[in-house]
Amino acid sequence: GIEILPHTPSTDCLAWHAARRQRVAINYAMFAGRGMRALFFRAKMSVSVGVRPRAVSTTRRLLDDVKVTFVTAEGTRIEASAKEGDSLLDVTIKNEIDEVEGACEGTLACSTCHMIFDEALYETLPEKDEEEEDMLDLAIGVTDTSRLGCQIKVTKAMDGVEIQLPSEE
């Protein structure tokens, strides 16, 4: 048989989850009128266990990867590898880009994965739906080419693009 050992979270793990629960609670205060979807998410997050998923780093880029560069508000350029079909939020999580929070984990219940696209790329993206527009109304630093990263799927045409990450203030 297999012996299952109990998980003892590290101090870093516990601190990360405590901070995350606090951020999620703040998001719920902002989105209190969102109905059952927000209530379900709150219940789901209150029982969250485990550690934050981390990407396995590799020194070589696979042929089917798409290269995306995220530019922080401070001007720092972060190159990331993406798989076609992943959301841009998933890309930031897999590449450990902490400047994008994604508090709702892509359920369209927050605006913490807000990204700003250049005009040419923005024109190629699918149309925003009403729910995404509502969430963007609550984001900080919204522009005419703002989108939520959880709603944008990576395509081969995105290879080499730069995406601006807004300031958190």
PDB file of all heavy atoms in Angstrom, residues 81-103:
ATOM      1  N   SER A  81       6.739  31.810 -21.579  1.00  0.00           N
ATOM      2  CA  SER A  81       6.370  30.813 -22.584  1.00  0.00           C
ATOM      3  C   SER A  81       4.922  30.431 -22.358  1.00  0.00           C
ATOM      4  O   SER A  81       4.494  30.253 -21.221  1.00  0.00           O
ATOM      5  CB  SER A  81       7.254  29.575 -22.461  1.00  0.00           C
ATOM      6  OG  SER A  81       8.548  29.856 -22.879  1.00  0.00           O
ATOM      7  N   ALA A  82       4.179  30.292 -23.438  1.00  0.00           N
ATOM      8  CA  ALA A  82       2.755  29.983 -23.349  1.00  0.00           C
ATOM      9  C   ALA A  82       2.410  28.862 -24.318  1.00  0.00           C
ATOM     10  O   ALA A  82       3.075  28.686 -25.336  1.00  0.00           O
ATOM     11  CB  ALA A  82       1.937  31.223 -23.678  1.00  0.00           C
ATOM     12  N   LYS A  83       1.385  28.152 -24.006  1.00  0.00           N
ATOM     13  CA  LYS A  83       0.859  27.126 -24.897  1.00  0.00           C
ATOM     14  C   LYS A  83      -0.393  27.684 -25.574  1.00  0.00           C
ATOM     15  O   LYS A  83      -1.200  28.373 -24.943  1.00  0.00           O
ATOM     16  CB  LYS A  83       0.464  25.866 -24.121  1.00  0.00           C
ATOM     17  CG  LYS A  83       1.603  25.182 -23.431  1.00  0.00           C
ATOM     18  CD  LYS A  83       2.301  24.279 -24.377  1.00  0.00           C
ATOM     19  CE  LYS A  83       3.347  23.457 -23.638  1.00  0.00           C
ATOM     20  NZ  LYS A  83       4.568  23.357 -24.341  1.00  0.00           N
ATOM     21  N   GLU A  84      -0.546  27.402 -26.835  1.00  0.00           N
ATOM     22  CA  GLU A  84      -1.727  27.837 -27.560  1.00  0.00           C
ATOM     23  C   GLU A  84      -2.970  27.284 -26.871  1.00  0.00           C
ATOM     24  O   GLU A  84      -3.023  26.118 -26.511  1.00  0.00           O
ATOM     25  CB  GLU A  84      -1.660  27.356 -29.011  1.00  0.00           C
ATOM     26  CG  GLU A  84      -2.742  27.932 -29.884  1.00  0.00           C
ATOM     27  CD  GLU A  84      -2.553  27.577 -31.351  1.00  0.00           C
ATOM     28  OE1 GLU A  84      -1.712  26.718 -31.670  1.00  0.00           O
ATOM     29  OE2 GLU A  84      -3.258  28.180 -32.167  1.00  0.00           O
ATOM     30  N   GLY A  85      -3.957  28.157 -26.641  1.00  0.00           N
ATOM     31  CA  GLY A  85      -5.199  27.764 -25.990  1.00  0.00           C
ATOM     32  C   GLY A  85      -5.253  28.095 -24.509  1.00  0.00           C
ATOM     33  O   GLY A  85      -6.328  28.139 -23.920  1.00  0.00           O
ATOM     34  N   ASP A  86      -4.096  28.326 -23.864  1.00  0.00           N
ATOM     35  CA  ASP A  86      -4.096  28.748 -22.460  1.00  0.00           C
ATOM     36  C   ASP A  86      -4.583  30.179 -22.368  1.00  0.00           C
ATOM     37  O   ASP A  86      -4.385  30.972 -23.282  1.00  0.00           O
ATOM     38  CB  ASP A  86      -2.678  28.701 -21.876  1.00  0.00           C
ATOM     39  CG  ASP A  86      -2.223  27.300 -21.500  1.00  0.00           C
ATOM     40  OD1 ASP A  86      -3.057  26.374 -21.537  1.00  0.00           O
ATOM     41  OD2 ASP A  86      -1.029  27.141 -21.176  1.00  0.00           O
ATOM     42  N   SER A  87      -5.185  30.536 -21.237  1.00  0.00           N
ATOM     43  CA  SER A  87      -5.541  31.938 -21.026  1.00  0.00           C
ATOM     44  C   SER A  87      -4.273  32.683 -20.607  1.00  0.00           C
ATOM     45  O   SER A  87      -3.325  32.084 -20.088  1.00  0.00           O
ATOM     46  CB  SER A  87      -6.619  32.073 -19.945  1.00  0.00           C
ATOM     47  OG  SER A  87      -6.065  31.844 -18.663  1.00  0.00           O
ATOM     48  N   LEU A  88      -4.269  33.994 -20.810  1.00  0.00           N
ATOM     49  CA  LEU A  88      -3.107  34.784 -20.397  1.00  0.00           C
ATOM     50  C   LEU A  88      -2.935  34.747 -18.881  1.00  0.00           C
ATOM     51  O   LEU A  88      -1.811  34.825 -18.382  1.00  0.00           O
ATOM     52  CB  LEU A  88      -3.209  36.214 -20.908  1.00  0.00           C
ATOM     53  CG  LEU A  88      -2.973  36.357 -22.410  1.00  0.00           C
ATOM     54  CD1 LEU A  88      -3.266  37.782 -22.868  1.00  0.00           C
ATOM     55  CD2 LEU A  88      -1.555  35.958 -22.787  1.00  0.00           C
ATOM     56  N   LEU A  89      -4.020  34.593 -18.127  1.00  0.00           N
ATOM     57  CA  LEU A  89      -3.912  34.433 -16.680  1.00  0.00           C
ATOM     58  C   LEU A  89      -3.156  33.149 -16.366  1.00  0.00           C
ATOM     59  O   LEU A  89      -2.256  33.135 -15.526  1.00  0.00           O
ATOM     60  CB  LEU A  89      -5.295  34.423 -16.023  1.00  0.00           C
ATOM     61  CG  LEU A  89      -5.306  34.112 -14.514  1.00  0.00           C
ATOM     62  CD1 LEU A  89      -4.484  35.140 -13.741  1.00  0.00           C
ATOM     63  CD2 LEU A  89      -6.725  34.039 -14.003  1.00  0.00           C
ATOM     64  N   ASP A  90      -3.491  32.047 -17.047  1.00  0.00           N
ATOM     65  CA  ASP A  90      -2.775  30.788 -16.845  1.00  0.00           C
ATOM     66  C   ASP A  90      -1.293  30.943 -17.158  1.00  0.00           C
ATOM     67  O   ASP A  90      -0.433  30.381 -16.463  1.00  0.00           O
ATOM     68  CB  ASP A  90      -3.364  29.677 -17.719  1.00  0.00           C
ATOM     69  CG  ASP A  90      -4.762  29.259 -17.286  1.00  0.00           C
ATOM     70  OD1 ASP A  90      -5.111  29.487 -16.113  1.00  0.00           O
ATOM     71  OD2 ASP A  90      -5.485  28.704 -18.138  1.00  0.00           O
ATOM     72  N   VAL A  91      -0.979  31.707 -18.192  1.00  0.00           N
ATOM     73  CA  VAL A  91       0.416  31.931 -18.576  1.00  0.00           C
ATOM     74  C   VAL A  91       1.165  32.623 -17.443  1.00  0.00           C
ATOM     75  O   VAL A  91       2.288  32.245 -17.107  1.00  0.00           O
ATOM     76  CB  VAL A  91       0.508  32.757 -19.884  1.00  0.00           C
ATOM     77  CG1 VAL A  91       1.944  33.149 -20.185  1.00  0.00           C
ATOM     78  CG2 VAL A  91      -0.101  31.982 -21.038  1.00  0.00           C
ATOM     79  N   THR A  92       0.547  33.636 -16.830  1.00  0.00           N
ATOM     80  CA  THR A  92       1.224  34.357 -15.741  1.00  0.00           C
ATOM     81  C   THR A  92       1.414  33.464 -14.523  1.00  0.00           C
ATOM     82  O   THR A  92       2.426  33.556 -13.836  1.00  0.00           O
ATOM     83  CB  THR A  92       0.472  35.640 -15.342  1.00  0.00           C
ATOM     84  OG1 THR A  92      -0.826  35.314 -14.854  1.00  0.00           O
ATOM     85  CG2 THR A  92       0.380  36.608 -16.505  1.00  0.00           C
ATOM     86  N   ILE A  93       0.466  32.585 -14.262  1.00  0.00           N
ATOM     87  CA  ILE A  93       0.590  31.668 -13.124  1.00  0.00           C
ATOM     88  C   ILE A  93       1.702  30.655 -13.387  1.00  0.00           C
ATOM     89  O   ILE A  93       2.578  30.430 -12.554  1.00  0.00           O
ATOM     90  CB  ILE A  93      -0.745  30.961 -12.846  1.00  0.00           C
ATOM     91  CG1 ILE A  93      -1.777  31.965 -12.315  1.00  0.00           C
ATOM     92  CG2 ILE A  93      -0.551  29.808 -11.850  1.00  0.00           C
ATOM     93  CD1 ILE A  93      -3.194  31.447 -12.251  1.00  0.00           C
ATOM     94  N   LYS A  94       1.679  30.034 -14.571  1.00  0.00           N
ATOM     95  CA  LYS A  94       2.682  29.014 -14.906  1.00  0.00           C
ATOM     96  C   LYS A  94       4.089  29.582 -14.956  1.00  0.00           C
ATOM     97  O   LYS A  94       5.053  28.882 -14.677  1.00  0.00           O
ATOM     98  CB  LYS A  94       2.340  28.361 -16.245  1.00  0.00           C
ATOM     99  CG  LYS A  94       1.127  27.476 -16.176  1.00  0.00           C
ATOM    100  CD  LYS A  94       0.780  26.920 -17.540  1.00  0.00           C
ATOM    101  CE  LYS A  94      -0.527  26.145 -17.476  1.00  0.00           C
ATOM    102  NZ  LYS A  94      -0.961  25.718 -18.808  1.00  0.00           N
ATOM    103  N   ASN A  95       4.224  30.847 -15.306  1.00  0.00           N
ATOM    104  CA  ASN A  95       5.539  31.486 -15.399  1.00  0.00           C
ATOM    105  C   ASN A  95       5.887  32.284 -14.143  1.00  0.00           C
ATOM    106  O   ASN A  95       6.837  33.069 -14.152  1.00  0.00           O
ATOM    107  CB  ASN A  95       5.605  32.382 -16.641  1.00  0.00           C
ATOM    108  CG  ASN A  95       5.708  31.567 -17.907  1.00  0.00           C
ATOM    109  OD1 ASN A  95       6.787  31.194 -18.329  1.00  0.00           O
ATOM    110  ND2 ASN A  95       4.563  31.259 -18.519  1.00  0.00           N
ATOM    111  N   GLU A  96       5.090  32.134 -13.087  1.00  0.00           N
ATOM    112  CA  GLU A  96       5.333  32.765 -11.785  1.00  0.00           C
ATOM    113  C   GLU A  96       5.472  34.276 -11.865  1.00  0.00           C
ATOM    114  O   GLU A  96       6.365  34.876 -11.276  1.00  0.00           O
ATOM    115  CB  GLU A  96       6.565  32.149 -11.121  1.00  0.00           C
ATOM    116  CG  GLU A  96       6.437  30.668 -10.882  1.00  0.00           C
ATOM    117  CD  GLU A  96       7.676  30.061 -10.242  1.00  0.00           C
ATOM    118  OE1 GLU A  96       8.636  30.798  -9.943  1.00  0.00           O
ATOM    119  OE2 GLU A  96       7.671  28.835 -10.043  1.00  0.00           O
ATOM    120  N   ILE A  97       4.568  34.909 -12.591  1.00  0.00           N
ATOM    121  CA  ILE A  97       4.569  36.368 -12.720  1.00  0.00           C
ATOM    122  C   ILE A  97       3.613  36.922 -11.668  1.00  0.00           C
ATOM    123  O   ILE A  97       2.395  36.895 -11.823  1.00  0.00           O
ATOM    124  CB  ILE A  97       4.160  36.792 -14.150  1.00  0.00           C
ATOM    125  CG1 ILE A  97       5.169  36.220 -15.151  1.00  0.00           C
ATOM    126  CG2 ILE A  97       4.065  38.308 -14.251  1.00  0.00           C
ATOM    127  CD1 ILE A  97       4.788  36.412 -16.597  1.00  0.00           C
ATOM    128  N   ASP A  98       4.177  37.382 -10.561  1.00  0.00           N
ATOM    129  CA  ASP A  98       3.383  37.797  -9.406  1.00  0.00           C
ATOM    130  C   ASP A  98       2.669  39.128  -9.593  1.00  0.00           C
ATOM    131  O   ASP A  98       1.806  39.480  -8.794  1.00  0.00           O
ATOM    132  CB  ASP A  98       4.265  37.864  -8.159  1.00  0.00           C
ATOM    133  CG  ASP A  98       4.769  36.477  -7.754  1.00  0.00           C
ATOM    134  OD1 ASP A  98       4.052  35.489  -8.010  1.00  0.00           O
ATOM    135  OD2 ASP A  98       5.875  36.391  -7.194  1.00  0.00           O
ATOM    136  N   GLU A  99       3.019  39.893 -10.620  1.00  0.00           N
ATOM    137  CA  GLU A  99       2.364  41.184 -10.850  1.00  0.00           C
ATOM    138  C   GLU A  99       0.912  41.020 -11.287  1.00  0.00           C
ATOM    139  O   GLU A  99       0.140  41.974 -11.263  1.00  0.00           O
ATOM    140  CB  GLU A  99       3.126  41.983 -11.912  1.00  0.00           C
ATOM    141  CG  GLU A  99       4.436  42.554 -11.438  1.00  0.00           C
ATOM    142  CD  GLU A  99       5.585  41.538 -11.409  1.00  0.00           C
ATOM    143  OE1 GLU A  99       5.393  40.371 -11.819  1.00  0.00           O
ATOM    144  OE2 GLU A  99       6.674  41.908 -10.977  1.00  0.00           O
ATOM    145  N   VAL A 100       0.516  39.829 -11.701  1.00  0.00           N
ATOM    146  CA  VAL A 100      -0.875  39.534 -12.055  1.00  0.00           C
ATOM    147  C   VAL A 100      -1.413  38.596 -10.986  1.00  0.00           C
ATOM    148  O   VAL A 100      -0.906  37.495 -10.805  1.00  0.00           O
ATOM    149  CB  VAL A 100      -0.977  38.876 -13.450  1.00  0.00           C
ATOM    150  CG1 VAL A 100      -2.421  38.540 -13.777  1.00  0.00           C
ATOM    151  CG2 VAL A 100      -0.383  39.785 -14.506  1.00  0.00           C
ATOM    152  N   GLU A 101      -2.457  39.042 -10.289  1.00  0.00           N
ATOM    153  CA  GLU A 101      -2.950  38.261  -9.159  1.00  0.00           C
ATOM    154  C   GLU A 101      -3.928  37.167  -9.569  1.00  0.00           C
ATOM    155  O   GLU A 101      -3.772  36.020  -9.173  1.00  0.00           O
ATOM    156  CB  GLU A 101      -3.608  39.186  -8.143  1.00  0.00           C
ATOM    157  CG  GLU A 101      -4.031  38.465  -6.900  1.00  0.00           C
ATOM    158  CD  GLU A 101      -4.558  39.412  -5.850  1.00  0.00           C
ATOM    159  OE1 GLU A 101      -4.259  40.606  -5.886  1.00  0.00           O
ATOM    160  OE2 GLU A 101      -5.290  38.932  -4.981  1.00  0.00           O
ATOM    161  N   GLY A 102      -4.978  37.515 -10.307  1.00  0.00           N
ATOM    162  CA  GLY A 102      -5.970  36.508 -10.674  1.00  0.00           C
ATOM    163  C   GLY A 102      -6.685  35.937  -9.466  1.00  0.00           C
ATOM    164  O   GLY A 102      -6.807  34.718  -9.324  1.00  0.00           O
ATOM    165  N   ALA A 103      -7.169  36.788  -8.574  1.00  0.00           N
ATOM    166  CA  ALA A 103      -7.757  36.358  -7.304  1.00  0.00           C
ATOM    167  C   ALA A 103      -8.917  35.384  -7.467  1.00  0.00           C
ATOM    168  O   ALA A 103      -9.093  34.489  -6.654  1.00  0.00           O
ATOM    169  CB  ALA A 103      -8.207  37.576  -6.496  1.00  0.00           C
TER     170      ALA A 103
END
